[in-house]
Amino acid sequence: MATTSSMFMYSLTIQPPTSITQAILGQFAGTKEQQIVTASGSRLTIHRPDPTQGKISTILSQDVFGIIRTLAAFRLAGSNKDYIIIGSDSGRITIIEYVPAQNRFNRLHLETFGKSGVRRVIPGQYLAVDPKGRACLIASAEKNKLVYVLNRNAQAELTISSPLEAHKPQTLVFALVGLDVGYENPVFAVLEVDYTECDQDPTGQAFEEVEKSLVYYELDLGLNHVVRKWSDPVDRTANMLLQVPGGGDGPSGVLVCGLDNITYRHSNQDAFRVPIPRRRGVTENPERKRCITAGVMHKMRGAFFFLLQSEDGDLFKVTIDMVEDDNGQPTGEVKRLKIKYFDTVPIASTLCILKSGFLFVASETGNHHFYQFEKLGDDDNETEYSSDSFPADPTEAYTPAYFHPRASENVNLVESIDSMNPQLDCKVANLTDEDAPQIYSICGSGARSSFRMLKHGLEVNDIVDSELPSVPAAVWTTKITRSDEFDAYIVLSFDNGTLVLSIGETVEEVTDTGFLSSASTLAVQQLGEDALIQVHPKGIRHIRADRRVNEWPAPQHRSIVAATTNERQVAVALSSGEIVYFEMDTDGSLAEYDEKREMSGTVTCLSLGEVPEGRVRSQFLAVGCDDSTVRILSLDPESTLENKSVQALTSAPSALSIMAMPDSTTGGSTLYLHIGLYSGVYLRTVLDEITGELSDTRTRFLGPKPAKLFKVSVKGEPAVLALSSRSWLGYSDPQTKNFMLAPLSYVPLEWGSNFSSEQCTEGMVGIQGQNLRIFSIEKLGSNLLQQSIPLTYTPRKFVRHPEYPLFYTIESDNNTLSVETKHKLLNSQTVVNGDGVTLPPAEFGYPRAQGHWASCIHVIDPINAKSAIQQIDLTDNEAATTIAAVSFSSQSDETFLVVGTGKDITVSPRSSTAGFIYIYRFLEDGKELEFIHKTKTEEPPSALLGFQGRLLAGIGTELRIYDLGLKQILRKCQAHVVPNLIVGLQTQGSRIIVSDVQESAVYVVYKYQDNRLIAFADDVVARWTTCTTMVDYETVAGGDKFGNLWLLRCPQKASEEADEDASGAHLVHERQYLQGAPNRLALMCHFFSQDIPTSIQKTQLVAGGRDILVWTGLQGTLGILVPFVSREDVDFFQTLEQHLRAEDAPLAGRDHLIYRSYYVPVKGMIDGDLCERYSLLPNDKKQMIAGELDRSVREIERKISDMRTRVAY
């Protein structure tokens, strides 16, 4: 990378892409349980479906730093574990396995066969595996096919052969599948078109007559080569092949799916064909033909069936009847093919049927769905169409088949998995007045689209919320004996007394527990085997199992101000600054240590760690004083209460907690001291278990209130509950074991404690005001919470009201019937009984119609109403294209909503009959829109922006300034500044940055005196811009449709000259350079993100964080770019990145540096996602890299985690 760049950014992913391009099923862990492996962009994720709860949880997700094009699962004969084959853009075939013990993917084979990149003649696009796991075929879109033989050696390790070629030049491949032939030679079926003749025929006659054929390639295992065994022409529209079970289970062969028909083909059988049924209904076009977009075959004992999905989302069940012999046994000869309507689910990229009776639908857009089968549709009264009544010849005509869609009967939805794909626009704003802003985004398509609000936090499951007689100060839970599984008492401390509640079927007050109820409580602990301790301001009560009470009174004129306990030790601090320490004797009584230790200031908090396994005492006591220090005192019998170490703090400590937590650095468990300060800052520092030294301090600001800390347990692991103005949970990430701190999406609590009962084995109890709340935390995987508001059509853009917490979206769908056309059809005279039923569009989609647009404007209130509060439908086949909120100086700075629309738009090639600009006035604090007027334009406006009290509009290639008139808007100024189409506008002062659809960004200045718009700087690279934002007055950041992110800067001199003269004459007469503007923009940073950026903005994500760039990607990605402040940090991360590229090479064999430089060499960017893989390396590699960098492993991990936590989540 060119280190000469003067600007460096650190790229991080906050939310990985959520769109699933492919999903495969298999027993990857080697157990009976099936897992689902999905590919999303460059991420490989393994999910565990839980059939008992009907939920899916993520086990492991890894970025392979390469584009995953195809996946396949296979297992060698006789083994019980599935392996994964990845076809990627690395020009290599990769075989990996999942290792459940270490929860990671392990690469077994990496065989190079061609160049890297996605190319038409390099294999990797198609992948098929022999069902018995003996061979795989990897093919390119054209010409090349390679067969690898898979086997095992004497050590039972997987081996892979040299590739066998099955190339055929000038041949395009459309689909590929492995045939089920039992244990005969493996056969692969391919849909091919040979275009040799089309290429040589200039008249186009050969193209009209070209045939698509189904070809069988056989791998002869004896001779070890591949032969083209059989070829037969099929329907020219065929696009998909599905394997039919063979061997003892079925007839073998394939189903060939084409436009409006499905055909069964095999080399030694007749062809059988059925049509794809069409929807019947008054709003449906009866002539529209469907094709199959996804399908799955499922084998059961002695039977099998197919579920095929059309592009409307309808599932059809296809079965094959076989000829029976005299004993009624199937012979393997096909008799007929049958198809019938099954159910409707969202359109899927992949369907998976699990053995446990579930269907996983990886949706193309919107949330992924997990269904449970209720029945298999055998006994319903849907019409079944059989191949007996349809000709097998693809050229012959037949009468189409129809069905009535209905609500789901055979499957029911058990879980919907959040997915923000496609994500079309996003804004970061703080509408709820919390300390951190929220992310608002529009995503999805058609009727399944939604407006989402994302908030950093963990989901909390509320169990109990009950009001108490007065406001409590603190709460504890305790067992009665050490061997109890569950807590027995909840102890509440009030200003003037203590209340004890027993936990059973119900929670009720008890008075005979031995606790002193007339004083407030400072600590409660189950001590030894079966005793209880209560610490109150005037002393310590030791309650024995036989209800005998031993009382230790505090010395005269002094009271206890702080206390800490564990199951064998008690330490209290007196108001005089003395510390009294007790330890449990062999007979179970508490023995006071002879000397009291006097501290220099008033003690504010104390902490004893838990007693480690196999020890009799905790080694250390942490003491926090009001002179802003924390001291570690030894509790060793030889050196009791002696100082071990001191840490100075920025403010007085309000809470301390010593606890052991899992540690990613050592791979084991480490003792930490957690410190909460009165200033609301939380610190976590490592406490050395031998010397008591404190090191590696990490800080985080929680909120303006003093921080309180409580030890809790989540998912069986220790965690810390930190309470300030918000409630936070510090826990170890389940995958990386890194320490995470996330706010709870819950009311702010004043005090908390662990809670365990039969009904709720792992929960927490907390106090909020006068309420007692019991809650639990279920999911630690994702720390972004989503709330969703359904929208009507595909959202295109949205804008926020300048003052009120409201958003305005524009939505439009092409080839969809608008509301008025639908009403006309439904109310017409020709409606037959049963055809006039309108189905809920969220499940069944909208009726399709070529050339029609359905579009609307929504007012959305995400805070109060949490719904869309007004919908304005557009008529006359208009579609909304852009939206802006503009304040006009001519109307005394009143803000109006401006919407650009187009009439009869054709997307490609781009054309329309007219464009309009609508003006709406805000009423009722923005909750209602009132139409003022509309103005016709030659083309649909593609970008709108408020500019110096007027409206700036990009219409085609023209940049115009409009002002508001009474009957329409008035054109004031225009200029032709870009060559193709304006897609975005940004402004500061009188500078405008115009982005062109394929020619990057142009800097334009507006000269008020001359009323002129003058372009003064443009770019040297043609970037297909999708989004831009101004980082500062000279710099613009943007993304393009190939997945690149970049920063461009205008030269200082050109920038100053543009603003100098009021008239701009010198700019107009300056010499143009290469038919462009006089000056060129310089590229500062460039990075390939592997997702198409749809929005980018400069903002903060955490309270008190720095300004960063937040970008969103079409597949649901949320990413950030963090600017580096010091050169030293840049050098450190550059070196770390270089080491990681070598030591942790990407899983699929792609070179990381080349991958991030897909189109343009990476510049001024460091890949944070790669740096964060450091914590997952084995310890020896960590130590080696740390040695090279001349730092400790802890230091490196702290730097990596600080880069993220200081600015984001």
Side-chain angles (χ1 to χ4, degrees):
M1 177 159 75
T3 44
T4 49
S5 180
S6 59
M7 181 174 189
F8 277 85
M9 307 287 271
Y10 184 78
S11 152
L12 268 179
T13 305
I14 296 179
Q15 178 179 286
T18 49
S19 74
I20 294 178
T21 45
Q22 197 186 351
I24 54 171
L25 259 183
Q27 294 164 342
F28 301 107
T31 55
K32 282 274 169 56
E33 187 176 64
Q34 284 182 305
Q35 289 89 16
I36 300 170
V37 168
T38 60
S40 330
S42 64
R43 281 191 105 78
L44 196 66
T45 310
I46 183 162
H47 308 266
R48 178 179 165 263
D50 186 344
T52 51
Q53 294 184 316
K55 282 191 160 37
I56 286 189
S57 55
T58 303
I59 311 175
L60 172 64
S61 178
Q62 182 174 340
D63 201 326
V64 302
F65 301 110
I67 298 169
I68 303 172
R69 299 159 76 187
T70 173
L71 292 174
F74 79 97
R75 80 168 60 182
L76 295 169
S79 96
N80 60 352
K81 178 169 184 171
D82 286 327
Y83 297 102
I84 305 162
I85 306 182
I86 304 175
S88 69
D89 63 343
S90 62
R92 298 164 163 188
I93 186 168
T94 318
I95 299 182
I96 61 169
E97 65 171 338
Y98 171 63
V99 187
Q102 298 162 337
N103 190 25
R104 66 184 187 92
F105 291 120
N106 179 27
R107 187 165 72 202
L108 301 170
H109 285 289
L110 186 65
E111 296 293 321
T112 308
F113 51 67
K115 290 179 179 169
S116 61
V118 180
R119 303 161 193 261
R120 58 192 266 181
V121 290
I122 303 291
Q125 189 62 36
Y126 300 102
L127 181 62
V129 175
D130 171 58
K132 293 283 185 267
R134 295 168 299 169
C136 72
L137 174 66
I138 186 162
S140 58
E142 186 184 331
K143 183 181 169 185
N144 295 334
K145 296 179 199 66
L146 297 173
V147 175
Y148 286 92
V149 181
L150 304 162
N151 216 322
R152 54 158 77 92
N153 61 13
Q155 285 78 45
E157 291 165 343
L158 175 73
T159 59
I160 186 166
S161 73
S162 302
L164 305 169
E165 298 186 350
H167 301 338
K168 189 164 184 288
Q170 296 186 312
T171 303
L172 299 175
V173 175
F174 286 84
L176 171 65
V177 70
L179 235 61
D180 191 345
V181 289
Y183 280 104
E184 290 171 23
N185 279 336
V187 178
F188 297 96
V190 186
L191 274 182
E192 289 183 353
V193 165
D194 185 335
Y195 66 82
T196 320
E197 289 171 10
C198 307
D199 248 9
Q200 291 153 4
D201 174 27
T203 61
Q205 182 68 28
F207 173 71
E208 296 300 325
E209 292 166 4
V210 72
E211 280 186 338
K212 192 172 280 188
S213 29
L214 175 67
V215 185
Y216 279 7
Y217 287 94
E218 181 178 17
L219 165 67
D220 192 321
L221 289 170
L223 300 170
N224 202 24
H225 75 134
V226 185
V227 290
R228 194 180 160 100
K229 185 181 174 189
W230 176 72
S231 171
D232 208 32
V234 291
D235 182 1
R236 192 171 162 181
T237 59
N239 66 325
M240 195 168 163
L241 294 175
L242 284 143
Q243 165 196 7
V244 177
D249 302 320
S252 186
V254 289
L255 287 187
V256 182
C257 306
L259 187 66
D260 208 35
N261 69 79
I262 297 161
T263 316
Y264 168 78
R265 301 300 303 262
H266 194 35
S267 53
N268 58 6
Q269 305 248 15
D270 294 338
F272 295 90
R273 187 164 76 137
V274 288
I276 299 172
R278 306 175 189 175
R279 284 188 183 182
R280 195 184 280 289
V282 69
T283 53
E284 294 291 339
N285 174 7
E287 296 305 310
R288 184 161 76 87
K289 297 178 177 183
R290 286 12 180 221
C291 62
I292 297 296
T293 56
V296 60
M297 180 268 295
H298 187 63
K299 270 197 274 198
M300 301 169 296
R301 284 205 186 97
F304 63 90
F305 66 90
F306 295 86
L307 283 185
L308 305 182
Q309 188 181 39
S310 73
E311 76 250 49
D312 293 333
D314 301 319
L315 287 176
F316 299 101
K317 183 179 174 184
V318 174
T319 49
I320 293 176
D321 285 355
M322 288 187 275
V323 179
E324 293 177 353
D325 59 12
D326 304 339
N327 306 332
Q329 293 297 318
T331 57
E333 191 183 331
V334 177
K335 187 173 170 188
R336 68 172 69 86
L337 190 62
K338 296 191 296 196
I339 185 168
K340 70 172 181 182
Y341 174 60
F342 186 74
D343 262 341
T344 301
V345 299
I347 299 170
S349 58
T350 314
L351 298 165
C352 297
I353 297 179
L354 281 75
K355 286 185 177 146
S356 49
F358 288 89
L359 170 70
F360 176 65
V361 176
S363 312
E364 262 188 16
T365 68
N367 289 359
H368 308 300
H369 283 186
F370 195 49
Y371 293 92
Q372 185 163 17
F373 282 101
E374 297 294 318
K375 54 188 194 347
L376 290 176
D378 299 325
D379 49 0
D380 54 14
N381 45 18
E382 289 290 335
T383 319
E384 189 164 53
Y385 296 98
S386 148
S387 59
D388 297 347
S389 40
F390 295 94
D393 178 19
T395 54
E396 278 187 55
Y398 53 84
T399 51
Y402 291 97
F403 73 96
H404 281 294
R406 52 158 169 75
S408 287
E409 287 178 3
N410 301 310
V411 293
N412 86 13
L413 183 65
V414 286
E415 192 184 16
S416 174
I417 301 142
D418 278 337
S419 166
M420 294 174 60
N421 153 58
Q423 185 170 227
L424 293 139
D425 200 356
C426 169
K427 304 257 186 284
V428 178
N430 190 354
L431 302 187
T432 51
D433 288 333
E434 290 174 14
D435 48 6
Q438 307 85 46
I439 300 171
Y440 297 90
S441 110
I442 45 174
C443 41
S445 71
R448 297 188 70 233
S449 51
S450 58
F451 176 97
R452 302 211 178 184
M453 169 174 160
L454 278 83
K455 204 164 99 184
H456 179 217
L458 292 169
E459 201 171 347
V460 172
N461 185 8
D462 214 345
I463 299 166
V464 174
D465 176 8
S466 63
E467 201 168 325
L468 297 164
S470 62
V471 179
V475 61
W476 293 270
T477 54
T478 179
K479 305 172 179 182
I480 292 181
T481 68
R482 183 188 288 190
S483 53
D484 286 359
E485 193 182 342
F486 300 121
D487 293 329
Y489 296 141
I490 295 178
V491 182
L492 289 157
S493 166
F494 296 90
D495 289 344
N496 53 0
T498 296
L499 178 70
V500 183
L501 307 172
S502 78
I503 305 167
E505 290 296 312
T506 58
V507 173
E508 52 210 17
E509 188 178 343
V510 282
T511 49
D512 58 342
T513 55
F515 280 101
L516 181 68
S517 59
S518 59
S520 61
T521 303
L522 294 172
V524 172
Q525 173 74 41
Q526 188 272 319
L527 192 80
E529 290 304 319
D530 51 10
L532 293 171
I533 282 277
Q534 176 193 14
V535 183
H536 53 89
K538 287 291 167 217
I540 301 174
R541 260 175 109 84
H542 182 190
I543 306 157
R544 295 297 190 93
D546 52 9
R547 295 294 157 91
R548 276 183 308 158
V549 173
N550 297 355
E551 182 89 34
W552 177 87
Q556 273 185 330
H557 309 305
R558 281 174 274 180
S559 60
I560 299 174
V561 290
T564 175
T565 59
N566 64 27
E567 59 210 41
R568 302 186 59 87
Q569 297 157 291
V570 177
V572 296
L574 304 177
S575 51
S576 58
E578 290 167 314
I579 287 175
V580 190
Y581 170 60
F582 302 84
E583 203 168 299
M584 199 175 79
D585 265 356
T586 43
D587 63 350
S589 63
L590 272 184
E592 180 184 344
Y593 177 67
D594 313 336
E595 301 168 30
K596 296 183 175 65
R597 168 72 196 265
E598 194 132 348
M599 302 307 284
S600 54
T602 308
V603 177
T604 56
C605 47
L606 295 169
S607 174
L608 280 165
E610 294 286 306
V611 179
E613 194 76 30
R615 298 263 180 102
V616 290
R617 67 176 68 78
S618 161
Q619 297 288 88
F620 304 111
L621 169 67
V623 184
C625 300
D626 65 358
D627 57 358
S628 300
T629 58
V630 169
R631 288 179 168 76
I632 302 294
L633 306 183
S634 165
L635 298 179
D636 221 26
E638 279 81 60
S639 58
T640 312
L641 298 185
E642 280 184 19
N643 234 350
K644 280 284 190 184
S645 62
V646 183
Q647 172 143 354
L649 306 165
T650 52
S651 138
S654 54
L656 294 173
S657 173
I658 297 178
M659 55 197 275
M661 290 181 81
D663 180 16
S664 64
T665 310
T666 58
S669 166
T670 300
L671 206 56
Y672 290 105
L673 171 63
H674 301 268
I675 308 171
L677 306 185
Y678 274 102
S679 57
V681 172
Y682 158 83
L683 297 95
R684 182 184 75 125
T685 146
V686 177
L687 176 58
D688 190 295
E689 297 181 27
I690 317 292
T691 63
E693 289 292 321
L694 295 171
S695 61
D696 186 30
T697 307
R698 313 217 181 157
T699 59
R700 188 81 181 262
F701 176 63
L702 301 183
K705 283 169 75 175
K708 300 193 188 98
L709 306 173
F710 305 94
K711 181 180 182 212
V712 292
S713 150
V714 178
K715 297 265 179 262
E717 295 276 1
V720 58
L721 181 67
L723 307 180
S724 174
S725 53
R726 283 166 91 178
S727 313
W728 297 71
L729 184 78
Y731 60 97
S732 297
D733 182 80
Q735 275 182 37
T736 61
K737 294 286 175 269
N738 283 341
F739 182 73
M740 312 280 278
L741 191 65
L744 301 182
S745 169
Y746 204 48
V747 292
L749 301 171
E750 273 97 61
W751 198 276
S753 176
N754 225 15
F755 177 82
S756 175
S757 70
E758 282 184 56
Q759 290 77 25
C760 163
T761 49
E762 203 177 55
M764 296 169 210
V765 57
I767 296 169
Q768 177 245 335
Q770 205 171 330
N771 292 12
L772 181 73
R773 288 177 175 259
I774 299 175
F775 57 95
S776 68
I777 293 164
E778 301 291 328
K779 282 188 193 157
L780 290 180
S782 77
N783 56 5
L784 276 177
L785 284 168
Q786 295 189 11
Q787 286 178 343
S788 182
I789 297 170
L791 300 175
T792 310
Y793 305 114
T794 307
R796 304 291 170 176
K797 290 192 173 80
F798 74 129
V799 65
R800 188 194 152 185
H801 191 287
E803 292 155 46
Y804 302 106
L806 299 168
F807 286 97
Y808 305 89
T809 62
I810 49 169
E811 299 154 40
S812 59
D813 269 329
N814 194 6
N815 296 338
T816 303
L817 282 182
S818 66
V819 182
E820 46 174 349
T821 322
K822 220 162 23 185
H823 285 321
K824 260 186 219 157
L825 287 168
L826 286 168
N827 299 334
S828 66
Q829 299 304 310
T830 56
V831 179
V832 192
N833 188 20
D835 283 0
V837 182
T838 49
L839 297 159
E843 287 164 44
F844 296 91
Y846 292 108
R848 303 288 187 139
Q850 201 67 34
H852 285 256
W853 282 89
S855 184
C856 70
I857 304 166
H858 264 141
V859 183
I860 288 176
D861 178 354
I863 307 302
N864 303 320
K866 292 192 167 51
S867 66
I869 48 181
Q870 188 188 4
Q871 176 171 344
I872 300 170
D873 283 300
L874 297 181
T875 54
D876 288 344
N877 207 26
E878 278 181 46
T881 55
T882 179
I883 186 167
V886 180
S887 72
F888 287 97
S889 343
S890 57
Q891 303 290 322
S892 59
D893 288 340
E894 187 187 342
T895 305
F896 292 85
L897 189 72
V898 185
V899 177
T901 70
K903 186 171 158 60
D904 307 325
I905 298 176
T906 312
V907 181
S908 176
R910 199 169 57 240
S911 71
S912 62
T913 53
F916 296 97
I917 296 178
Y918 285 71
I919 304 284
Y920 292 93
R921 177 176 266 131
F922 294 120
L923 303 176
E924 307 278 327
D925 292 345
K927 290 184 180 143
E928 272 185 39
L929 296 176
E930 177 195 21
F931 174 65
I932 307 283
H933 55 63
K934 71 175 184 178
T935 309
K936 191 171 178 179
T937 56
E938 312 87 271
E939 283 185 62
S942 46
L944 298 171
L945 185 68
F947 175 70
Q948 297 183 351
R950 298 197 277 185
L951 168 68
L952 190 64
I955 298 169
T957 59
E958 302 276 345
L959 182 63
R960 293 186 186 161
I961 296 180
Y962 286 99
D963 211 338
L964 192 59
L966 288 173
K967 293 284 174 67
Q968 61 173 29
I969 54 172
L970 313 167
R971 192 187 315 181
K972 296 292 180 188
C973 172
Q974 80 170 31
H976 176 83
V977 291
V978 298
N980 302 298
L981 173 72
I982 295 175
V983 289
L985 296 169
Q986 304 288 332
T987 181
Q988 277 187 26
S990 55
R991 177 169 299 178
I992 303 160
I993 292 180
V994 183
S995 40
D996 180 78
V997 69
Q998 69 182 66
E999 287 293 339
S1000 192
V1002 179
Y1003 282 46
V1004 176
V1005 64
Y1006 174 61
K1007 296 297 182 188
Y1008 190 78
Q1009 281 179 332
D1010 287 12
N1011 191 24
R1012 292 182 83 160
L1013 290 159
I1014 307 162
F1016 67 90
D1018 59 15
D1019 197 5
V1020 287
V1021 180
R1023 303 179 200 280
W1024 292 70
T1025 323
T1026 53
C1027 58
T1028 51
T1029 188
M1030 286 184 80
V1031 181
D1032 58 35
Y1033 192 56
E1034 260 91 39
T1035 319
V1036 64
D1040 64 38
K1041 74 174 209 183
F1042 295 103
N1044 300 305
L1045 291 163
W1046 30 264
L1047 270 91
L1048 303 171
R1049 184 168 283 169
C1050 177
Q1052 187 77 32
K1053 185 164 170 272
S1055 170
E1056 286 165 6
E1057 276 178 8
D1059 293 340
E1060 262 170 23
D1061 188 13
S1063 70
H1066 64 296
L1067 288 175
V1068 183
H1069 301 302
E1070 201 164 352
R1071 254 182 71 210
Q1072 287 195 339
Y1073 180 69
L1074 298 175
Q1075 280 97 42
N1079 301 295
R1080 290 291 169 267
L1081 303 175
L1083 178 66
M1084 303 305 294
C1085 300
H1086 200 285
F1087 185 75
F1088 174 71
S1089 67
Q1090 224 274 289
D1091 195 354
I1092 300 171
T1094 51
S1095 81
I1096 186 165
Q1097 59 205 301
K1098 182 172 136 184
T1099 180
Q1100 297 166 353
L1101 280 184
V1102 292
R1106 296 215 311 269
D1107 271 352
I1108 53 172
L1109 291 174
V1110 177
W1111 67 275
T1112 57
L1114 187 74
Q1115 302 175 16
T1117 315
L1118 277 176
I1120 59 172
L1121 304 175
V1122 188
F1124 278 105
V1125 180
S1126 74
R1127 184 78 222 184
E1128 185 194 352
D1129 280 357
V1130 173
D1131 294 342
F1132 168 81
F1133 278 102
Q1134 266 187 330
T1135 322
L1136 176 65
E1137 193 181 30
Q1138 279 165 5
H1139 283 298
L1140 282 166
R1141 281 177 182 148
E1143 297 302 325
D1144 184 38
L1147 193 65
R1150 189 86 167 102
D1151 182 294
H1152 177 267
L1153 181 63
I1154 299 174
Y1155 167 69
R1156 287 298 186 201
S1157 313
Y1158 226 106
Y1159 296 95
V1160 173
V1162 66
K1163 178 178 182 182
M1165 283 272 195
I1166 283 162
D1167 187 358
D1169 295 334
L1170 179 68
C1171 295
E1172 290 193 341
R1173 287 196 55 77
Y1174 178 78
S1175 61
L1176 297 169
L1177 291 179
N1179 267 349
D1180 53 336
K1181 284 194 177 172
K1182 280 189 191 175
Q1183 296 288 358
M1184 193 212 82
I1185 294 176
E1188 293 278 336
L1189 287 166
D1190 203 17
R1191 311 259 177 148
S1192 70
V1193 175
R1194 267 194 201 291
E1195 258 183 288
I1196 295 176
E1197 293 203 336
R1198 183 171 88 224
K1199 269 184 113 58
I1200 294 170
S1201 92
D1202 277 357
M1203 280 306 287
R1204 182 183 277 273
T1205 54
R1206 282 189 182 158
V1207 293
Y1209 329 122

